Amino acid sequence: MEDRKAPSVIDRYFTRWYRTDLKGKAREDHCILQHSNRICVITLAESHPILQNGRKIKNINYQISDGCSRLKNKVSGKSKRGGQFLTEFAPLCRITCTDEEEYTIFSCIRGRLLEVNEAILNRPELLLEKPSTEGYIAVILPKFEESKSITEGLLTRAQYEEVLSKRTNQQEPS
């Protein structure tokens, strides 16, 4: 009898989409987990520099500017009124590593911000240990009429793996 592991909740209910080299910054890749109910969870892709070389996180800041804190986002009701509307390049948070490198994490898609993950403020190691589950960045709800088109410009898992493969090949000495 074959001993096959059951698919994870993420693999079973979410489709993984990727955006690579965000805003022209090499390897700053993001992963968008799209649920069948159109809700999207923004996470770091496994190739993101924060998740490489045993980095440690010093600080996570959802305060984007003087007048804009993602922590102040409040939604109510069935239609999630009141959530901040985000464009695809809206910053969600800034993460500073102990080596003082700072990374801005972007929404990657247009939609209404439903929540940010406050748990990673107290336990930033969740972001490093479980980036696709407990260490997620934010949850975004695309507009219903845009829910099919939001994935245009994003990469599928196979396309993302192709990008990673090309990067690896470019690093190898000739």
Side-chain angles (χ1 to χ4, degrees):
M1 192 170 127
E2 263 186 70
D3 184 28
R4 288 207 313 239
K5 206 170 96 179
S8 71
V9 170
I10 299 291
D11 292 332
R12 186 177 297 164
Y13 298 110
F14 290 83
T15 303
R16 292 174 192 260
W17 297 95
Y18 295 87
R19 182 156 267 170
T20 56
D21 302 328
L22 219 70
K23 291 213 143 191
K25 297 190 175 183
R27 301 186 190 294
E28 291 196 24
D29 305 338
H30 293 42
C31 178
I32 300 93
L33 302 171
Q34 186 182 36
H35 193 274
S36 53
N37 67 6
R38 83 179 203 272
I39 284 178
C40 294
V41 179
I42 309 305
T43 69
L44 296 179
E46 53 263 36
S47 55
H48 196 287
I50 290 172
L51 302 178
Q52 305 305 311
N53 307 322
R55 280 209 155 109
K56 299 270 186 265
I57 295 173
K58 177 180 169 184
N59 182 36
I60 298 170
N61 191 351
Y62 283 111
Q63 183 80 35
I64 300 308
S65 65
D66 288 344
C68 181
S69 171
R70 301 297 181 210
L71 288 171
K72 288 190 169 59
N73 186 68
K74 297 286 179 250
V75 295
S76 65
K78 191 173 158 188
S79 62
K80 307 299 181 202
R81 283 184 303 278
Q84 299 169 7
F85 190 79
L86 306 171
T87 61
E88 61 187 302
F89 292 113
L92 292 170
C93 68
R94 292 194 177 78
I95 300 173
T96 307
C97 293
T98 51
D99 62 4
E100 297 305 322
E101 281 290 323
E102 185 180 89
Y103 300 93
T104 300
I105 309 306
F106 296 94
S107 59
C108 300
I109 57 169
R110 290 167 42 88
R112 193 165 300 285
L113 181 63
L114 297 186
E115 71 176 63
V116 294
N117 185 0
E118 293 185 43
I120 60 176
L121 296 174
N122 299 327
R123 295 188 52 215
E125 67 275 7
L126 287 174
L127 193 62
L128 303 171
E129 295 164 6
K130 301 176 180 181
S132 295
T133 55
E134 295 170 58
Y136 71 95
I137 305 291
V139 178
I140 297 173
L141 179 64
K143 283 184 176 177
F144 182 76
E145 57 274 13
E146 292 181 5
S147 57
K148 295 276 186 266
S149 64
I150 59 153
T151 57
E152 290 170 10
L154 300 178
L155 302 179
T156 63
R157 178 77 189 181
Q159 292 168 321
Y160 171 67
E161 286 174 356
E162 237 175 79
V163 168
L164 295 183
S165 174
K166 284 179 185 165
R167 284 179 184 165
T168 304
N169 293 339
Q170 287 172 348
Q171 286 180 341
E172 291 174 1
S174 342

